[in-house]
Amino acid sequence: MNETLKKYFRMNRLPHIWCPGCGNGIVVGALVRAIDKLGLNPDKTSIISGIGCSSRSSGYLNFDTVHTAHGRALTFATGLKLARPDLNVIVLTGDGDATAIGGNHFIHAARRNIDLTTIVFNNNIYGMTGGQYSPLTPTHSKATTSPYGHIENPFDITELAKASGASYVARGTTYHTLELINLIADAISHKGFSVVEAITACPISFGRQNKLGNAPAMMKWQKENTISVKAASKLPAEQLAGKVVIGELYRRQAPEYTAEYQKVIDRVTGGNGQ
Amino acid sequence: MVIINTKFCKGCQICVDFCPKHIIKLDDMQKAQIIDQSKCISCGFCELRCPDYAITVVKE
Ligand SMILES: Cc1ncc(C[n+]2csc(CCOP(=O)(O)OP(=O)(O)O)c2C)c(N)n1
Ligand code: SF4
Ligand SMILES: [Mg+2]
């Protein structure tokens, strides 16, 4: 590992437990490079995760971290950010964690536009528990709970985030690693609720059931089936069918929750409240 | 120069398949190995995409 990145890891916890080829390590690598690029103060940066393979990442990171309950990372993060608005609070969550058991927390954190950065590790499956479908499992895919092919429609988490009130929304992949670093850095810098969907391969619990090949093959899929926002904007809708658009999808400036909360405190206490 | 930490490498083959110069292979122990350091262009993609933090590219 690059010497400059070692300080961001609890080196005594490595190597991590993720399967060979699992993309979680690439997403976490992109996160620490984004933190390094921004020069964030580790003592002012907190990382909160839920439960799942991806959520184990908080345990490897050398920051103040909380590994919370399944689906509840955003609730702990909301509490922390309200108590300590000066902190950079980063939430690491899986597709199941964020959109199934934690779906309600996700839309309401977005609705409040609270200044949290949420990275959704989208591997299209419940990896940790052995490959059950999640709300982001594509239609017709196989999961242990849909052995004959999935008949439900998935959420588009970026659209869900935007419609719910998030003020920064982006999508990246583990193949497009440099872009992912930049998207995460922009999401952290943005004041308000930011969401980065990181498309990541789970070769073991998702890839194997769906005969998608090994980890490099799953990353080649990411390369071949995505299109940048810029390129997509020049194409007619029918040519975009089946393509996954990556890059910064949405950004707006909007009142941020903890700042608005402070204004209420100041108004009610005549400006001398804490 | 590319340095591989074989204690961290899990042999996933991502670096092998994506190295633009095709200078990485898996050895008999299924660990990444550099075939020809002199051909490395220090692009750093193997390091960025290594899920196991097993690769360091030292830019010369
Ligand atoms: C309250 C509760 N319900 C269910 C579980 C079992 N459980 C653990 S991880 C998980 C799903 C993980 O999926 P995801 O969030 O996509 O993470 P991944 O493992 O794919 O990274 C479930 C259902 C749990 N730990 N706690
Ligand atoms: S089960 Fe999937 S998500 Fe979990 S560590 Fe293995 S490859 Fe990664
Ligand atoms: Mg998942």
Side-chain angles (χ1 to χ4, degrees):
Chain A
M1 186 192 296
N2 202 308
E3 283 302 320
T4 57
L5 298 179
K6 282 189 177 163
K7 61 177 178 287
Y8 301 115
F9 287 92
R10 295 174 181 150
M11 289 304 291
N12 59 344
R13 297 280 188 93
L14 295 177
H16 55 59
I17 57 140
W18 293 315
C19 304
C22 174
N24 289 344
I26 307 178
V27 181
V28 174
L31 168 67
V32 297
R33 287 175 175 94
I35 289 173
D36 192 62
K37 183 180 152 184
L38 295 172
L40 297 190
N41 177 354
D43 293 331
K44 293 258 178 194
T45 304
S46 196
I47 296 184
I48 321 278
S49 67
I51 294 289
C53 295
S54 44
S55 287
R56 295 202 51 125
S57 45
S58 58
Y60 301 117
L61 290 164
N62 193 19
F63 297 83
D64 291 319
T65 63
V66 198
H67 191 184
T68 71
H70 192 29
R72 313 299 177 213
L74 280 166
T75 66
F76 287 79
T78 298
L80 177 63
K81 184 72 188 181
L82 269 171
R84 290 286 307 275
D86 59 311
L87 299 180
N88 306 300
V89 182
I90 299 168
V91 174
L92 305 180
T93 172
D95 50 314
D97 199 66
T99 65
I101 193 167
N104 208 37
H105 302 308
F106 182 82
I107 57 176
H108 291 289
R111 183 177 59 79
R112 294 187 184 109
N113 194 35
I114 184 164
D115 186 25
L116 303 173
T117 303
T118 300
I119 302 175
V120 182
F121 292 59
N122 182 10
N123 59 7
N124 307 108
I125 204 82
Y126 287 2
M128 175 167 268
T129 44
Q132 296 82 2
Y133 69 74
S134 88
L136 298 192
T137 299
T139 319
H140 309 308
S141 297
K142 285 191 177 155
T144 50
T145 42
S146 60
Y148 305 108
H150 195 40
I151 57 170
E152 295 177 17
N153 301 308
F155 281 132
D156 177 331
I157 186 141
T158 63
E159 292 291 340
L160 183 67
K162 182 179 160 191
S164 305
S167 49
Y168 177 94
V169 182
R171 185 189 285 122
T173 85
T174 54
Y175 173 80
H176 304 87
T177 326
L178 277 177
E179 290 90 334
L180 185 61
I181 296 168
N182 291 331
L183 293 172
I184 294 174
D186 287 353
I188 294 172
S189 305
H190 178 79
K191 207 94 205 108
F193 192 71
S194 352
V195 176
V196 178
E197 174 186 359
I199 297 177
T200 169
C202 165
I204 302 303
S205 290
F206 186 71
R208 232 173 11 183
Q209 300 190 73
N210 287 286
K211 302 193 168 49
L212 300 177
N214 61 4
M218 291 181 78
M219 288 172 75
K220 269 177 213 143
W221 182 95
Q222 297 171 2
K223 178 187 178 192
E224 285 158 11
N225 291 278
T226 50
I227 181 166
S228 71
V229 175
K230 207 172 154 202
S233 68
K234 292 181 193 139
L235 286 182
E238 57 271 20
Q239 283 187 39
L240 289 175
K243 288 273 179 205
V244 179
V245 181
I246 56 170
E248 181 183 310
L249 303 176
Y250 182 69
R251 183 203 283 268
R252 77 188 156 100
Q253 291 305 323
E256 189 276 323
Y257 191 69
T258 59
E260 294 304 303
Y261 195 77
Q262 188 58 45
K263 282 186 203 161
V264 174
I265 294 171
D266 291 345
R267 179 156 46 82
V268 175
T269 61
N272 53 18
Q274 286 293 305
Chain B
M1 193 173 71
V2 186
I3 302 162
I4 311 268
N5 177 351
T6 50
K7 288 202 182 81
F8 281 14
C9 175
K10 294 178 187 161
C12 70
Q13 224 168 301
I14 290 172
C15 57
V16 175
D17 281 30
F18 293 118
C19 169
K21 291 293 172 189
H22 310 289
I23 57 168
I24 315 180
K25 65 165 198 178
L26 295 188
D27 67 14
D28 296 342
M29 302 297 287
Q30 299 295 301
K31 303 281 182 185
Q33 186 185 43
I34 306 299
I35 310 163
D36 187 352
Q37 290 277 5
S38 70
K39 292 203 179 119
C40 172
I41 52 169
S42 298
C43 66
F45 275 109
C46 54
E47 182 187 311
L48 284 179
R49 294 200 183 107
C50 175
D52 295 290
Y53 318 122
I55 307 182
T56 314
V57 177
V58 184
K59 303 216 163 141
E60 270 138 41

